[in-house]
Amino acid sequence: LETTEPKTSFSGRMEVGEEGETSLAEESPRRRKLHPYSLRRRTSKRTLDRQARQRMTLFIVTAVTTFFFGGATMGWGPMQLMLEENGIFSKKCTEEEQEEDVICSEQSARLVGIGLCIGGLQAVSPILGMLVDKIGAVKSAYVHALLAMSGLAFTVLGSFLVWDPAIFIGFILLALHTWLGLLNIMQLALYFEGHTVSRVIFVLNTVF
């Protein structure tokens, strides 16, 4: 008679003894540790934890940059008054006006021009929307933060060096930061699930 090895659904091996008895041979601890299914479960858990940390980091970065820079170019009137008091574009005034520390019409006209350029940048919103759709919310959020930091750096540098073009470039970058942030709020919220989606949208709109 020929005997065949019985089939089993257990993770161990079924062995046939000399008396024809069968016994379940336990796998070694090392082999059981490297079981493919266990590896898949551990890898999946690590992946989920990493994704959760990435989502939270992304949310915090977006919320912080939006809170400090998101509305910097909204409501240009009060911003213009503050810039005039700090002498931005005062070089456009005559020497007598600079000595008397008065706000001249040329200075005000240049600041009004920046406000008009910022408002006109809303026209690039469709392009920014296509950018968000193409590169995704994650990369868009980092571009959003980069625009904020670059805009701040240019405005500080322009004020320190009394270099008007740097101030102009800085406010243009801050304006692009504002419009990109508004477009990316919904895309960013979709990275979360359940009621968290509405909460993320609420928080980002609030800090804006």
Side-chain angles (χ1 to χ4, degrees), residues 11-90:
S11 60
R13 299 188 309 278
M14 191 72 73
E15 294 183 350
V16 180
E18 295 180 356
E19 303 295 333
E21 298 178 353
T22 60
S23 62
L24 180 63
E26 294 290 339
E27 291 183 332
S28 65
R30 177 176 177 80
R31 184 172 181 178
R32 190 162 53 247
K33 182 179 180 181
L34 298 178
H35 196 279
Y37 179 69
S38 299
L39 286 176
R40 284 198 299 270
R41 291 185 63 183
R42 287 196 294 272
T43 302
S44 178
K45 186 177 185 304
R46 286 197 298 268
T47 302
L48 292 175
D49 292 341
R50 184 175 66 252
Q51 290 175 350
R53 289 193 300 269
Q54 290 175 346
R55 286 195 298 267
M56 186 55 61
T57 301
L58 185 62
F59 171 73
I60 293 174
V61 169
T62 304
V64 170
T65 55
T66 301
F67 177 76
F68 285 105
F69 308 107
T73 57
M74 306 291 287
W76 183 250
M79 175 68 74
Q80 178 177 336
L81 294 176
M82 185 186 68
L83 295 175
E84 288 175 347
E85 291 177 358
N86 285 275
I88 303 300
F89 293 121
S90 59

Side-chain angles (χ1 to χ4, degrees), residues 61 65-66 68-70 72-73 121 124 128 131-132 135 139-155 169-184:
V61 169
T65 55
T66 301
F68 285 105
F69 308 107
T73 57
L121 282 175
V124 303
L128 295 176
L131 176 67
V132 172
I135 67 177
K139 293 182 180 179
S140 297
Y142 290 116
V143 173
H144 181 243
L146 179 62
L147 287 172
M149 300 304 174
S150 301
L152 179 64
F154 271 98
T155 52
I169 294 173
F171 278 108
I172 294 300
L173 293 174
L174 288 175
L176 292 173
H177 162 268
T178 298
W179 309 132
L180 180 61
L182 287 173
L183 293 169
N184 200 39

Side-chain angles (χ1 to χ4, degrees), residues 99-129:
E99 291 177 357
E100 295 176 359
D101 195 20
V102 298
I103 299 172
C104 63
S105 58
E106 290 80 3
Q107 179 184 5
S108 298
R110 180 57 62 92
L111 290 171
V112 169
I114 293 180
L116 291 174
C117 291
I118 290 173
L121 282 175
Q122 294 184 56
V124 303
S125 294
I127 299 176
L128 295 176

